[in-house]
Amino acid sequence: MTTRGVLYVHSAPRALCPHVEWAVAGVLGTRVNLDWIRQPAAPGTWRSEFSWQGQAGTASKLASALRGWHLLRFEVTAEPCATAEGERYSCTPDLGIFHAVTGIHGDILIPEDRLRAALLRSQRGETDLEADLSKLLGKPWDDELEPFRYAGEGAPVRWLHQVV
């Protein structure tokens, strides 16, 4: 079963850009040429986005292929399909990688056992429930990536189809 998604490279040093393309090509099994533009949120870095289509699980393979580079900020999304929920991976140099399962509307779906564990840690006084829930929702990653998400000058504009 195939799905589709988007790879957002929020910032990468210029020297790393060809390596990102090779890694993505290795996962997808086809040549990849990303359109790189300057990232105004981090001068000296570049950004790109790439729509992909592949088997369920491709998002995790893309995230795994890219996660080892310390200077790279990226996100990978995958839409749900008949055999798998959607996914979102976020990665920053300081926080590492975050993974979330997403539903058909893009909402993060937190497994029951993770919620129960957060409640138990909070009840024992080991952690703060609000902080644990924030991490489960990926808020620290969203906070760090938000300045990089805005399209800079020259960024491609993606028009959404109007549904009536």
Side-chain angles (χ1 to χ4, degrees), residues 21-37:
E21 292 180 4
W22 297 330
V24 173
V27 170
L28 298 178
T30 185
R31 187 170 184 203
V32 172
N33 289 312
L34 301 179
D35 293 325
W36 296 96
I37 61 170

Side-chain angles (χ1 to χ4, degrees), residues 1-160:
M1 185 61 57
T2 62
T3 188
R4 60 186 176 182
V6 180
L7 165 64
Y8 302 94
V9 178
H10 293 299
S11 70
R14 188 66 172 159
L16 196 54
C17 295
H19 298 281
V20 170
E21 292 180 4
W22 297 330
V24 173
V27 170
L28 298 178
T30 185
R31 187 170 184 203
V32 172
N33 289 312
L34 301 179
D35 293 325
W36 296 96
I37 61 170
R38 293 184 188 278
Q39 171 53 273
T45 65
W46 297 79
R47 61 181 287 150
S48 185
E49 29 180 280
F50 179 74
S51 295
W52 58 268
Q53 187 169 349
Q55 297 296 315
T58 299
S60 67
K61 291 177 184 175
L62 287 168
S64 293
L66 299 174
R67 76 179 287 181
W69 294 317
H70 180 69
L71 299 175
L72 188 64
R73 287 179 183 85
F74 69 88
E75 291 180 276
V76 182
T77 63
E79 295 179 2
C81 64
T83 60
E85 298 284 358
E87 295 182 283
R88 181 179 127 205
Y89 292 86
S90 302
C91 189
T92 73
D94 293 333
L95 298 173
I97 200 153
F98 168 77
H99 172 253
V101 174
T102 58
I104 61 171
H105 300 293
D107 297 324
I108 291 177
L109 307 176
I110 302 173
E112 180 181 336
D113 62 329
R114 293 182 77 189
L115 288 172
R116 289 183 189 279
L119 281 171
L120 185 59
R121 285 190 302 272
S122 174
Q123 289 169 347
R124 290 180 180 164
E126 298 170 2
T127 61
D128 175 63
L129 182 59
E130 185 177 346
D132 261 5
L133 292 178
S134 178
K135 286 180 186 174
L136 289 172
L137 291 169
K139 186 174 179 344
W141 287 263
D142 286 339
D143 290 346
E144 187 170 326
L145 290 173
E146 196 60 29
F148 296 90
R149 289 179 176 145
Y150 294 104
E153 185 177 330
V157 176
R158 181 178 308 216
W159 294 101
L160 302 176

